[in-house]
């Protein structure tokens, strides 16, 4: 465990204890990039997939592929049960909500668009158009509200990369139509005080949507304890397939929301003069969904629930401390912010070296990091930088990889020296 | 062909540190700006084009990565003294070089050094940003 | 070839010539269901997947999984090139359109919703709210227009299950805001005269959307020859992954359409006061798309383009004739319609046997067919039946399977006799 | 347990051909309708419930598959003479039987024949349609 770790230790030291046997489950992690062993430090963009997830999709296609609902033959029944059964898995995964409150979507982005169009938009007339967001939001939690006609008010972010809770208290008291806030920042790693925000919002009668995209892969989410109205995440950031995601919404909200997309499976009666619609969750799932993807997502959630995520948290925290320590010693390197409560994300700039150059040079070493605005332009405006470089961890990330990053950055430093 | 790191160690760092024609012109005949879709970086370009269509002076400014800065720097050096038509043709050759198509290597001269970048399609956008602005600018007198 | 086929031939006869070696590429086709060899006759609901498609997704996840765009490291670049490169494949697959005119969506349903919201809806004020559809449309080509505020006018269907082209001519002359019509009927198999409809629409200045969901798996689609404004299909009905689809739209339409969903990747500048958007096709692809799915779809389209689809068409036609002949001999069985120009779809009802009972009894024999309204309630109203049974073919369907269907239906007949 | 075909050959076809209580009542105390979400099939149910809460007569009508018709037919036979509370309890037992949970087989009597349907989850909707309508109907006096 890192608490007893010697920061000057050699890169060949074993990964911390909790994570033994985890890497082997991810076939890609033994691959190479640019002729070097892959050092994947871009898990905030998308996570890698364990074999069980890859197999779940393949087994479906090779063994029992069929379209769901309305089919009464064996494969279709099995596919239907597996698809709809994933709602129960998701409901458990989120700490115990109702399976009927789980809507499958393409990802976090679609989930927020759905809520913006089907929940927020029809309420503008009565609740007003103001949506309270934060300065650190991902574009996915900004643009959908704008497209739905919102006036956005951002909760400011402090120099430490944390929410200004005093401002939040004040702004919530003005009773916006909605509070839309990220659980964990993809750009800074900040873990936001969601339960506190939800409690405040509740006293003012403000419904809350939580963007959980960066939370679910890092720690267990307990929705009943959070008290939000909507929560969403993407499968591909949770070791699951691309093109999958979950929107959870309170039963009473879903029940009164109009459909989002129209088509097969979300209807009751279709006539040219007008149609009536199915109950939630089907009402919000028009057309053939990503069946294989949802089956893969089921495997991913089951897999995560079988892990020791407490150990993940410790490991993540240890790597973050190590990374902050090692990178902090590199001359000219500066973290955009250092939030106290954070997941394993290192976001920085380097004097004289543009983030894209940093990323390209690390790429030559087989090290994958991201450079740019990380879909958080307003946050970069806030911190007065056009872009930044970001290394982000998964549970499979090792100490040796964090050390390799530091070594690589030393090289960048020398090159641009 | 050069790897990315060799590219950096060669021309890129050199031009990033001392970019040619990195200045604002007093009396440009043409000017314009562009943004790299990859990162939002911006640059502005100014030209003095004489009556015969020859680019007699050129200056660029802006913030950007070393690749875009070095490429813009070398571009300005390459097009000075050329006609607008020749400069545009050079862009076509440069683009061909970076996208793995047949390119006139003699015409490209020193610009051939960027060839290795073709293996990094996302960075091609950085290397051609200055050229895209040029193409835009020659169409709009200032 | 079936032209020389003896309709009374035994079920053990080989499949017709063109299809040799095709079935072996689909691992699922050697599986069993209910202890019997699988007889999959539900390809109109979803097609089975060849090994190359399954492998394409798996290879991505095990070899070079990364998020696309903005990543400058090797895997991300490779994923980006593969994802965006699929536009060129789709453009070729559709007969030669521009790669920039290809938008990736979840499927046909989402494609139509996108056009209804971003193209049709903003034009209601100037072009009116009337959308001309047909009585045979799938709910996916009815409900999205209704949700966007349309008044629907259906082109009638004749007793033969074909479009009433005289009525179509008359209705188009009234200049509706839009014509939305299916290329091929999922419920009856009818191949509609799309080029003719598009030509008529053009003379009246009516934009046309073609729902190609059931066309693409059956014959080569040549968009330049059709003359439509929008065309769409689902990957899962084209031997590709679930959760994928293609919307093609004319460049000049796409250019003036507002975004559909908001989020990452579809933006230019994001500010709380307002945002600006990327050019098509990115403008219409918010958030992380189904990357693995699109890579699988690429493999599927490449695979189809390498096949002899002319031979597919003949084979399909031959099986259809055989099926109509064999089923026509079963007492009490009646086809809903027998369109002259059709793909391999047999839709029928049986006196005294409900479609669900038929499907359940065939299921006991390992035979997969669909029963219900096939997402075409208005068509069933038109033909005065609440539901029907449907067997539908893929290129891998064999003569023996069609004979097995007939034998199974004889059993149903005896049971309900 | 019976396979689907055995189920058909046994009770289903028999009740499909000669459904019990397949008629409209003259003076029902309770009535209602339902639709099978799977196929859109409809059925209506009528009851005569006396002052003690005993179902003294029952009739159903509608179109549907053999499974729903047979199940509704057997349901009507099973509930006639029972109290509303007993009938509702029977539904719970029937539902448990079809969803693989512990069920009171003695109480279910002949209805146990449907057990094999549990392996066909989509058809469970057909088999329980009549019961769902019953549950609805006892709540609404006509
Ligand atoms: C003709 C037609 N249109 C649209 C659809 C909807 O396609 P998807 O469910 O893949 O969105 C289907 C598939 O059921 C179809 O057959
Ligand atoms: C915090 C946050 N919100 C939303 C998103 C959007 O997720 P997706 O692209 O999967 O829709 C992301 C991922 O980039 C994210 O990190």
């Amino acid at each position: 465990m890192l608490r007893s770790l010697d920061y000057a230790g050699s890169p060949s030291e074993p990964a911390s204890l909790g994570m033994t046997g985890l890497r082997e489950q991810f076939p890609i992690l033994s691959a190479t990039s640019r002729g070097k062993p892959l050092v994947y430090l871009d898990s905030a963009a998308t996570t890698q997939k364990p074999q069980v997830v890859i197999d779940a999709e393949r087994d479906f296609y090779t063994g029992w592929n069929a379209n769901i609902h309305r089919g009464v033959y064996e494969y279709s029944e099995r596919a239907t049960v597996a698809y709809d059964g994933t709602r129960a898995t998701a409901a458990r995964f989120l700490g115990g909500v109702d399976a009927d409150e789980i809507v499958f979507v393409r990802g976090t982005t679609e989930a927020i668009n759905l809520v913006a169009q089907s929940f927020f938009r029809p309420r503008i007339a009565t609740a007003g158009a103001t949506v309270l967001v934060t300065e650190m939001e991902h574009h996915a939690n900004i643009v959908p509200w704008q497209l739905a006609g919102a006036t956005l008010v951002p909760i400011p972010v402090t120099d430490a990369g944390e929410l200004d809770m005093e401002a939040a208290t004040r702004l919530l008291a003005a009773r916006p139509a909605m509070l839309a806030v990220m659980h964990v920042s993809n750009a800074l790693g900040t873990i936001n005080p969601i339960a506190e925000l939800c409690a405040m919002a509740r006293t003012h009668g403000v419904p809350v949507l939580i963007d959980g995209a960066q939370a679910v892969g890092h720690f267990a989410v307990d929705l009943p304890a959070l008290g939000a109205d909507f929560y969403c995440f993407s499968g591909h950031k949770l070791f699951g397939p691309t093109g999958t995601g979950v929107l959870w919404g309170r039963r009473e909200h879903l029940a009164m929301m109009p459909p989002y997309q129209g088509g097969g499976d979300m209807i009751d009666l279709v006539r040219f003069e007008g149609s009536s619609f199915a109950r939630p969750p089907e009402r919000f799932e028009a057309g053939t969904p990503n069946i294989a993807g949802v089956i893969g997502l089921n495997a991913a959630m089951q897999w995560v629930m079988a892990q020791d995520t407490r150990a993940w948290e410790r490991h993540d925290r240890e790597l973050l401390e190590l990374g902050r320590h090692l990178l902090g010693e590199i001359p000219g390197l500066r973290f955009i912010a250092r939030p106290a409560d954070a997941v394993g994300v290192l976001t920085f700039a380097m004097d004289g070296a543009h983030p894209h150059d940093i990323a390209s040079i690390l790429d030559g070493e087989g090290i994958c990091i991201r450079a740019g605005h990380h879909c958080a332009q307003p946050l970069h405006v806030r911190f007065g930088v056009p872009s930044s470089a970001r290394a982000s961890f998964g549970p499979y990330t090792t100490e040796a990889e964090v050390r390799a990053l530091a070594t690589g950055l030393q090289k960048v430093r020398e090159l641009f020296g | 062909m050069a790897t990315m790191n060799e590219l950096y160690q060669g021309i890129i760092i050199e031009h990033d540190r001392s970019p040619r024609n990195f200045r604002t012109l007093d009396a440009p005949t043409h000017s314009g700006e562009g943004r790299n879709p990859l990162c939002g970086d911006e640059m502005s370009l100014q030209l003095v084009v004489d009556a015969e269509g020859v680019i007699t002076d050129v200056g660029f400014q802006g913030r950007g990565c070393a690749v875009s800065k070095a490429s813009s720097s070398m571009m300005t050096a390459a097009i000075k003294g050329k006609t607008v038509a020749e400069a545009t043709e050079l862009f076509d050759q440069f683009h061909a070089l970076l996208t793995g198509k047949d390119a006139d290597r003699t015409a490209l001269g020193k610009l051939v050094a960027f060839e290795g970048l073709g293996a990094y399609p996302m960075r091609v956008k950085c290397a051609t940003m200055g050229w895209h602005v040029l193409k835009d600018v020659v169409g709009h007198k200032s």
Side-chain angles (χ1 to χ4, degrees), chain A residues 116-149:
Chain A
Q117 294 294 334
S118 289
F119 177 76
F120 163 71
R121 189 179 194 155
R123 288 173 80 246
I124 292 182
T126 51
T130 304
V131 175
L132 191 59
V133 293
T134 82
E135 241 175 0
M136 62 171 84
E137 291 313 311
H138 188 281
H139 297 163
N141 207 12
I142 297 174
V143 183
W145 306 108
Q146 293 177 327
L147 293 183

Side-chain angles (χ1 to χ4, degrees), chain B residues 25-101:
Chain B
L25 302 190
D26 285 339
T29 57
H30 296 68
S31 61
E33 309 192 329
R35 189 158 55 217
N36 183 341
L38 183 62
C39 54
D41 283 348
E42 284 156 7
M43 74 160 285
S44 64
L45 183 73
Q46 299 176 308
L47 303 177
V48 177
V49 179
D50 73 10
E52 274 76 52
V54 174
I55 299 166
T56 57
D57 203 2
V58 49
F60 81 103
Q61 284 276 288
R63 69 165 197 241
C65 59
V67 171
S68 72
K69 214 156 148 196
S71 171
S72 298
S73 165
M74 288 181 70
M75 173 187 81
T76 59
I79 63 172
K80 214 191 267 187
K82 289 213 168 52
T83 65
V84 166
E86 286 165 345
T88 314
E89 166 60 20
L90 203 60
F91 174 34
D92 292 341
Q93 294 307 322
F94 189 62
H95 201 268
L97 181 83
L98 292 187
T99 50
K101 305 205 183 77

Side-chain angles (χ1 to χ4, degrees), chain A residues 265-348:
Chain A
D265 263 17
M266 53 69 75
I267 58 95
D268 176 28
L269 268 184
V270 174
R271 297 293 180 261
F272 291 119
E273 308 77 51
S275 302
S276 57
F277 307 113
R279 279 195 283 233
E282 284 79 12
R283 187 188 300 161
F284 303 106
E285 296 178 10
T288 304
N290 188 352
I291 305 169
V294 166
I295 288 168
L297 176 61
N298 195 342
M301 290 187 291
Q302 303 268 16
W303 180 81
V304 173
M305 286 190 281
Q307 307 299 310
D308 180 356
T309 53
R310 288 269 175 218
W312 283 16
E313 283 179 64
R314 282 194 303 275
H315 178 70
D316 194 48
R317 187 77 218 179
E318 290 160 3
L319 292 184
L320 178 62
E321 279 169 26
L322 175 65
R324 282 184 179 175
H325 173 85
L326 292 176
L327 270 56
E329 294 187 332
I330 297 171
L333 186 149
R334 154 174 73 76
F335 290 108
I336 303 302
R338 295 172 62 123
D341 198 10
V343 302
V345 171
L346 297 166
T347 310
F348 53 92

Side-chain angles (χ1 to χ4, degrees), chain A residues 34 354 356-357 360 386 415, chain B residues 8 17 39 41 65-66 120 123:
Chain A
R34 309 282 185 210
H354 187 283
H356 276 121
D357 297 317
S360 275
L415 213 55
Chain B
Y8 272 100
R17 283 207 195 119
C39 54
D41 283 348
C65 59
Y120 305 84
R123 299 313 301 276

Side-chain angles (χ1 to χ4, degrees), chain A residues 365-403:
Chain A
E365 308 293 320
I367 302 170
C368 312
I369 70 158
R370 199 145 283 240
H373 51 59
H374 320 301
C375 294
Q377 286 180 1
L379 183 73
H380 282 81
V381 170
R382 153 70 180 84
F383 281 99
V385 288
S387 60
S388 58
R390 180 189 73 185
S392 57
F393 310 152
Y396 38 66
T397 303
T398 64
E399 196 195 317
E401 290 181 315
V402 178
R403 292 185 185 280

Side-chain angles (χ1 to χ4, degrees), chain A residues 29-387:
Chain A
L29 295 180
S30 48
T32 58
S33 173
R34 309 282 185 210
K36 312 266 170 73
L38 175 71
V39 176
Y40 185 75
L41 298 174
D42 197 19
S43 286
T46 199
T47 55
Q48 296 303 341
K49 323 298 173 202
Q51 191 70 51
V52 284
V53 169
I54 301 168
D55 287 351
E57 285 205 78
R58 196 211 41 206
D59 292 350
F60 170 66
Y61 282 138
T62 59
W64 44 289
N65 172 64
N67 210 328
I68 58 168
H69 300 152
R70 278 183 312 283
V72 301
Y73 54 88
E74 185 189 12
Y75 288 11
S76 177
E77 285 195 333
R78 192 168 159 198
T80 302
V81 169
Y83 178 86
D84 283 327
T86 303
R87 298 186 208 280
T89 308
R92 259 194 304 129
F93 177 76
L94 291 172
V97 293
D98 263 346
D100 285 353
E101 296 176 323
I102 299 293
V103 178
F104 293 122
V105 289
R106 176 173 30 245
T108 308
T109 302
E110 179 165 65
I112 300 174
N113 278 277
L114 194 164
V115 176
Q117 294 294 334
S118 289
F119 177 76
F120 163 71
R121 189 179 194 155
R123 288 173 80 246
I124 292 182
T126 51
T130 304
V131 175
L132 191 59
V133 293
T134 82
E135 241 175 0
M136 62 171 84
E137 291 313 311
H138 188 281
H139 297 163
N141 207 12
I142 297 174
V143 183
W145 306 108
Q146 293 177 327
L147 293 183
T151 304
L152 295 183
V153 174
I155 299 172
V157 165
T158 67
D159 287 347
E162 294 165 352
L163 290 185
D164 178 341
M165 289 300 282
E166 248 173 62
T169 308
R170 191 168 22 82
L171 291 167
L172 268 171
R175 294 179 194 270
M178 195 79 213
L179 168 64
V181 54
M182 65 205 321
H183 198 160
V184 171
S185 161
N186 64 308
L188 301 176
T190 322
I191 302 175
N192 288 318
I194 294 302
E196 201 179 322
L197 285 167
C198 286
M200 290 200 297
R202 183 136 304 223
T203 65
H204 296 297
V206 177
V208 186
L209 173 136
I210 306 295
D211 166 0
Q214 295 293 338
V216 288
H218 285 280
F219 50 80
V221 170
D222 184 2
L223 281 194
L226 285 184
D229 294 86
F230 296 97
Y231 195 93
C232 52
F233 65 86
S234 304
H236 74 96
K237 294 187 198 275
L238 185 72
F239 320 103
T242 55
T244 65
V246 165
L247 168 66
W248 167 82
R250 277 187 196 284
R251 174 189 296 277
E252 59 267 31
H253 292 327
L254 294 179
M256 64 103 206
M257 283 160 60
Y260 177 54
Q261 298 185 332
D265 263 17
M266 53 69 75
I267 58 95
D268 176 28
L269 268 184
V270 174
R271 297 293 180 261
F272 291 119
E273 308 77 51
S275 302
S276 57
F277 307 113
R279 279 195 283 233
E282 284 79 12
R283 187 188 300 161
F284 303 106
E285 296 178 10
T288 304
N290 188 352
I291 305 169
V294 166
I295 288 168
L297 176 61
N298 195 342
M301 290 187 291
Q302 303 268 16
W303 180 81
V304 173
M305 286 190 281
Q307 307 299 310
D308 180 356
T309 53
R310 288 269 175 218
W312 283 16
E313 283 179 64
R314 282 194 303 275
H315 178 70
D316 194 48
R317 187 77 218 179
E318 290 160 3
L319 292 184
L320 178 62
E321 279 169 26
L322 175 65
R324 282 184 179 175
H325 173 85
L326 292 176
L327 270 56
E329 294 187 332
I330 297 171
L333 186 149
R334 154 174 73 76
F335 290 108
I336 303 302
R338 295 172 62 123
D341 198 10
V343 302
V345 171
L346 297 166
T347 310
F348 53 92
M350 255 170 115
D351 291 343
H354 187 283
H356 276 121
D357 297 317
I358 301 173
S360 275
I361 290 163
L362 292 177
D363 171 48
E365 308 293 320
I367 302 170
C368 312
I369 70 158
R370 199 145 283 240
H373 51 59
H374 320 301
C375 294
Q377 286 180 1
L379 183 73
H380 282 81
V381 170
R382 153 70 180 84
F383 281 99
V385 288
S387 60

